[in-house]
Amino acid sequence: DGVVPARGYVARRPALPAWQLQRRRGSSSPLLCAAGPAAQSKTSAARRPRLLLGALVLIYVSNQWCRALPASLVRFGSGGSAHEFMNVALELDEVQYGLLSSYAFTALYSVASLAAGAACDIFARAPVLVAASALWSGAAALQGCASSYPQLLASRAVLGVSQAFCSPAAYPLIGEAFSKDSRGRANAVYSSGLYVGYALASLSALANRRIGWRAMSLLTAAFSLLASATLAAVAAASRRATINRSPPQSPPLPSPLQRRRQQHQPPQPPQPQLPQLPPQPPSPPSLLPPAAAAGAVASLGRVCATRSASLLLLASTVRSFCGYAVGAWSVPFFRQCHPEHASQFALANGVFIAIGGTVSTIAGGWLSDRLVQRRPGRMTAHRGLLVPVAGSLLCIPLWLGALQSRAFAPALGCLLLAYLAGECWFGPFTSALQGALPQDVWGSAQGLVNALQIVSNGSPLLIGALMRRGVPLRSMLTVLIPTSH
């Protein structure tokens, strides 16, 4: 009533309502939501893609180890014991081995890859991959327990069906976890598991002498089961972190204008209740609904209709035709041409594949990313393909030197350089394929890559059939490998 407050007195402001506190402080206020330490959350989020990539590399190592192991379990010609070599124990010839390492695996692998690509675009990819890796672990154990050739064929068929789900699930997981600027390197690191797996398969030839081919197969099965458990643990931890990081959102508080409108709004008359319809009978269960099946076919059509993707699929098929011939017949070739250095070659080949292949694929992914980042433009994703083009041309004379050299040391040197030059195409190829297609068909595209391996996997069987007709193995590899590159 006209009284002036004394000096030093500060009038207290009335407390603000909750809705004004929410607007001033934002949804991240500690009074409204409980959040963990920001630094710890950022560190955990940055580490999660790397953990996922490490688990996927383990999966791919076990994949390729199980797949390439039969090449180290056979020896044709004189000598060899049933304890050490699978073909001696089960009386396999070259054609049977060629069929075992090619279409016994690829026939169902290629057919299942189309369904696997569609399934990985519909269902959660990490659980699908965990189940598939556990299944091919059982297939490797069945190989170790086989007592006849039909049982070996059955184990390879199960291995093909289960491994068809690997790439359609793994590459899209990597594409989602990493940005476009680092996707080439991430794909290359994952692809390095191929060379580590092949190296372990080559080194298995040394362990056969001590533990035998059956125990070696059971060892690969145990490793695959361990890799499956690792991926399951990483996926579960990532899922828990996602749930904890996303608290339930409370409905927003109304503004003052909305509150006044609600107060002056007249009450609405009650709505008449409609009669309830009788419950409909449940539809029969279906793994893949018709709409999903139609969507899978449409996804494959979208991949094939893209010209750049079609050319990439053709190039990978031709390149894989050479790769399967090398994987199935390089070890028997060096054992045949350099029998006095069989042990040294098994050790050197394992080291060369692990080091040369890994360095080449990671360096190829890094170089392709550098080319993509340096000159952005319309053809950015395809510019990284210059790296595998140069590597393929460079490794042609190196493979000729490895195959035609009569001395063991020069042949090994050319083999190492060929791995360093020619195995740089996985990361750039996958990155370019993903850049040419929308994200919702990545799984279908990778499934189509695997399905086309029914063509490229015919090289081991073709070589085995020609060997039965008297064609030298050296001559066939000399023509096939440079032509494919």
Side-chain angles (χ1 to χ4, degrees):
D1 296 330
V3 179
V4 179
R7 180 174 297 180
Y9 174 80
V10 179
R12 292 186 177 181
R13 300 176 61 184
L16 296 176
W19 63 270
Q20 289 188 3
L21 283 175
Q22 184 178 6
R23 286 192 174 184
R24 290 195 176 189
R25 292 171 175 167
S27 59
S28 60
S29 173
L31 297 177
L32 300 176
C33 63
Q40 182 179 0
S41 176
K42 290 182 179 180
T43 303
S44 177
R47 190 187 301 120
R48 203 169 297 122
R50 293 193 292 268
L51 290 176
L52 175 64
L53 182 60
L56 291 176
V57 169
L58 280 179
I59 288 288
Y60 203 32
V61 168
S62 70
N63 180 303
Q64 296 301 316
W65 192 5
C66 294
R67 185 172 182 173
L69 183 62
S72 300
L73 304 182
V74 298
R75 180 177 181 177
F76 296 100
S78 60
S81 63
H83 172 75
E84 184 178 356
F85 298 110
M86 179 173 62
N87 64 309
V88 178
L90 302 180
E91 300 179 353
L92 308 181
D93 58 19
E94 291 87 350
V95 176
Q96 288 176 318
Y97 167 69
L99 179 62
L100 187 71
S101 59
S102 59
Y103 285 116
F105 174 89
T106 313
L108 290 177
Y109 176 83
S110 301
V111 175
S113 293
L114 298 176
C120 292
D121 284 337
I122 297 173
F123 304 106
R125 295 177 176 122
V128 169
L129 186 52
V130 169
S133 58
L135 183 59
W136 77 61
S137 172
L142 178 61
Q143 174 182 287
C145 300
S147 58
S148 63
Y149 183 65
Q151 292 179 359
L152 276 181
L153 291 177
S155 68
R156 295 292 289 181
V158 175
L159 189 73
V161 172
S162 56
Q163 290 192 353
F165 289 83
C166 184
S167 295
Y171 282 113
L173 283 173
I174 295 172
E176 293 172 353
F178 291 87
S179 63
K180 186 182 297 185
D181 294 339
S182 60
R183 195 174 293 158
R185 281 168 288 176
N187 288 326
V189 170
Y190 169 74
S191 301
S192 66
L194 181 148
Y195 304 101
V196 178
Y198 266 89
L200 291 175
S202 180
L203 293 174
S204 300
L206 298 177
N208 286 349
R209 298 181 177 181
R210 292 182 175 271
I211 65 176
W213 68 273
R214 295 186 182 274
M216 197 69 243
S217 301
L218 296 177
L219 180 61
T220 58
F223 181 83
S224 300
L225 198 60
L226 177 62
S228 177
T230 302
L231 179 60
V234 171
S238 178
R239 186 164 54 250
R240 288 195 301 268
T242 303
I243 294 175
N244 295 334
R245 191 174 65 249
S246 302
Q249 298 290 336
S250 58
L253 296 175
S255 63
L257 180 61
Q258 292 176 343
R259 294 169 61 188
R260 285 195 294 268
R261 288 179 177 176
Q262 291 175 0
Q263 292 175 0
H264 295 86
Q265 188 176 6
Q268 298 291 335
Q271 298 291 335
Q273 294 186 356
L274 299 176
Q276 295 184 354
L277 298 176
Q280 298 292 332
S283 58
S286 175
L287 284 177
L288 196 62
V297 175
S299 298
L300 293 176
R302 292 166 62 189
V303 174
C304 296
T306 306
R307 183 173 180 270
S308 56
S310 300
L311 292 175
L312 287 170
L313 292 173
L314 176 61
S316 68
T317 303
V318 176
R319 181 60 179 82
S320 298
F321 189 83
C322 164
Y324 286 123
V326 171
W329 288 105
S330 62
V331 175
F333 168 76
F334 276 91
R335 282 177 175 173
Q336 177 183 347
C337 296
H338 307 280
E340 67 279 3
H341 300 288
S343 300
Q344 294 91 327
F345 173 76
L347 178 61
N349 188 49
V351 174
F352 288 175
I353 292 175
I355 296 178
T358 302
V359 170
S360 179
T361 188
I362 294 178
W366 180 80
L367 287 175
S368 66
D369 282 344
R370 294 284 294 178
L371 289 175
V372 169
Q373 296 169 7
R374 179 171 297 181
R375 296 178 61 189
R378 181 172 173 265
M379 299 297 292
T380 294
H382 296 339
R383 192 175 292 116
L385 294 174
L386 295 175
V387 175
V389 168
S392 296
L393 295 177
L394 182 60
C395 73
I396 291 177
L398 297 173
W399 268 111
L400 289 176
L403 295 171
Q404 295 297 325
S405 177
R406 305 294 175 175
F408 182 66
L412 279 186
C414 291
L415 183 65
L416 173 60
L417 294 177
Y419 283 137
L420 287 171
E423 303 300 325
C424 59
W425 66 284
F426 282 103
F429 162 75
T430 306
S431 181
L433 185 63
Q434 292 177 348
L437 297 169
Q439 186 174 353
D440 59 339
V441 296
W442 284 357
S444 300
Q446 196 60 48
L448 192 56
V449 172
N450 295 347
L452 289 174
Q453 292 182 12
I454 195 171
V455 178
S456 56
N457 222 305
S459 57
L461 181 60
L462 176 63
I463 292 175
L466 292 177
M467 285 181 65
R468 288 291 301 272
R469 293 178 176 269
V471 182
L473 181 59
R474 186 194 301 270
S475 301
M476 287 185 289
L477 294 180
T478 302
V479 173
L480 188 147
I481 294 177
T483 305
S484 299
H485 277 90

